[in-house]
Amino acid sequence: MEIKQEKAERLVQIAKMYYEENLTQSEIAKEIGVSRALICRLLNEAKKYGIVTIQIHSPEEDYSLLKNQIRNRFKIDDVFIVNAPLGQKITDERISESFSDVLLNLLPSCSNIGCSWGKIIHEALESLASKKIDFQLSANASVFPLAGNMITTGYSIDAQKIVQTFSLCFNATPNFLYAPAFLESPMELDLYHKTENYKNIAQCWKNIDLAIIKIDNYPTSPDLGTAARYKVLLKEKHACGSFLAYYYNLQGEIIRSDFDYSIQIPIEYLASCKKVIGICSSNVMPKSLLGAMNTGLFTHIIASQDLLESVLDLKRI
């Protein structure tokens, strides 16, 4: 669409005053000596002739691209992205909210739900409980821990506590694991494997529909007894992250030790689970998430935009 040079220059002048200098239409009209109605008409003409173009930037569009990149590269069913540039506390609050939404979406098709430890998981469930949501699982739904009890002083919420909160929130049947996460010898491990409590929980693990797991860094805090369980193996195998009491490297290989007598869901049961949610709080490092996704175990990931973008940057190296 053609426009005379003189008119184009006038439209550019008015557009700059309005869009760059942030003057009001009335202020521009007063300065130039015309009516405000004329300024409004000239601004519309500036759009008509392409002198001014309006571009709407939607974060959801950016997320769509990022989601597709993560899904395609890691063969993950879905990714839930949190935009939280305001610090650790806000990020964790938004991740907790996102997890609540994801949970309400996935739960209707699940009857057997396993939970790991993690403060962020517990806080999300407590928040749901406080809202008194009108949602219940099927009558035979059960929830159970994915690992034994953590006795470490000051450690964030134990998996048994999360099971209790979950059962109260969704009216599910709780199943508890009466054992520490780590035993001291193969003899202790063998004896516990023969108990009715372990057999019941092992059956739950075998039939699991949904696993809720917090992804952590390596080294972890607390240490999860790594010196006794792994000696120097984690350093030799270049561990980069953990979930439950498992450690893995950047390639997603689970690091095995002959001295690991932990009580937790076997990897083969987790691998057969239809839905495995990986939750990343604000302190998770890109290498920890990259290694976790490379395991091929996780079907759903909840993480911040910055973390996921950093993972893609690492993947390109």
Side-chain angles (χ1 to χ4, degrees):
M1 189 179 297
E2 293 185 5
I3 180 175
K4 292 182 179 180
Q5 182 69 25
E6 184 180 349
K7 185 171 185 178
E9 289 176 357
R10 190 181 190 199
L11 294 180
V12 169
Q13 177 195 12
I14 292 170
K16 284 186 175 182
M17 294 173 75
Y18 185 71
Y19 290 104
E20 294 181 359
E21 299 174 25
N22 294 317
L23 297 178
T24 65
Q25 293 182 16
S26 297
E27 288 171 337
I28 297 170
K30 185 176 181 180
E31 185 169 330
I32 294 178
V34 297
S35 68
R36 190 198 66 79
L38 178 59
I39 295 300
C40 180
R41 182 168 63 81
L42 292 173
L43 286 170
N44 285 331
E45 285 188 24
K47 295 176 187 176
K48 178 181 175 182
Y49 287 108
I51 291 170
V52 171
T53 58
I54 305 297
Q55 183 177 4
I56 299 173
H57 180 75
S58 169
E60 288 302 319
E61 291 176 4
D62 290 347
Y63 290 173
S64 178
L65 175 61
L66 184 55
K67 280 185 178 186
N68 287 335
Q69 289 176 319
I70 295 292
R71 285 172 182 161
N72 293 337
R73 295 190 186 195
F74 299 98
K75 309 303 179 187
I76 286 174
D77 292 345
D78 213 344
V79 185
F80 302 90
I81 303 171
V82 172
N83 180 17
L86 302 177
Q88 188 175 33
K89 182 180 179 182
I90 298 296
T91 299
D92 285 342
E93 286 175 357
R94 292 186 181 178
I95 287 170
S96 180
E97 290 170 5
S98 180
F99 165 62
S100 299
D101 294 338
V102 173
L103 198 56
L104 293 176
N105 265 346
L106 296 181
L107 278 177
S109 61
C110 301
S111 296
N112 301 295
I113 301 102
C115 298
S116 79
W117 50 62
K119 182 179 179 182
I120 199 166
I121 297 173
H122 187 254
E123 287 177 348
L125 291 172
E126 281 197 323
S127 176
L128 283 173
S130 69
K131 293 174 184 176
K132 298 180 179 179
I133 54 171
D134 186 18
F135 180 96
Q136 288 188 352
L137 292 165
S138 58
N140 62 344
S142 65
V143 57
F144 41 85
L146 295 176
N149 297 303
M150 283 294 300
I151 305 174
T152 308
T153 304
Y155 193 65
S156 61
I157 303 300
D158 184 289
Q160 317 298 320
K161 178 67 174 176
I162 288 174
V163 165
Q164 184 179 32
T165 305
F166 191 106
S167 64
L168 292 173
C169 187
F170 295 108
N171 196 32
T173 301
N175 296 271
F176 298 105
L177 186 54
Y178 303 110
F182 311 113
L183 299 175
E184 295 183 359
S185 69
M187 184 178 295
E188 282 188 10
L189 186 63
D190 184 59
L191 286 172
Y192 186 71
H193 280 173
K194 293 176 181 177
T195 66
E196 285 303 312
N197 179 234
Y198 180 81
K199 290 177 182 178
N200 290 337
I201 291 293
Q203 191 62 36
C204 290
W205 288 341
K206 190 174 183 179
N207 297 319
I208 188 170
D209 298 318
L210 171 66
I212 301 166
I213 296 176
K214 182 179 182 293
I215 294 171
D216 284 309
N217 298 319
Y218 170 74
T220 55
S221 177
D223 163 84
L224 303 186
T226 56
R229 296 168 58 214
Y230 290 95
K231 312 302 181 187
V232 296
L233 193 60
L234 295 180
K235 290 184 178 179
E236 291 178 350
K237 297 290 186 179
H238 307 290
C240 68
S242 69
F243 57 82
L244 299 171
Y246 288 110
Y247 289 91
Y248 51 85
N249 60 22
L250 203 57
Q251 290 71 43
E253 298 165 343
I254 303 296
I255 300 171
R256 308 281 188 173
S257 169
D258 292 336
F259 304 99
D260 182 15
Y261 312 123
S262 56
I263 300 290
Q264 58 182 328
I265 184 172
I267 285 293
E268 56 269 27
Y269 291 173
L270 201 55
S272 66
C273 183
K274 295 178 182 178
K275 300 180 180 72
V276 181
I277 305 175
I279 304 169
C280 301
S281 60
S282 57
N283 68 337
V284 172
M285 303 298 290
K287 285 186 177 181
S288 303
L289 178 54
L290 176 57
M293 290 195 290
N294 278 336
T295 65
L297 295 169
F298 294 92
T299 62
H300 298 71
I301 292 291
I302 304 171
S304 69
Q305 180 183 2
D306 289 348
L307 177 57
L308 290 166
E309 288 173 344
S310 296
V311 166
L312 288 179
D313 289 340
L314 275 176
K315 184 74 173 175
R316 295 186 189 103
I317 297 174

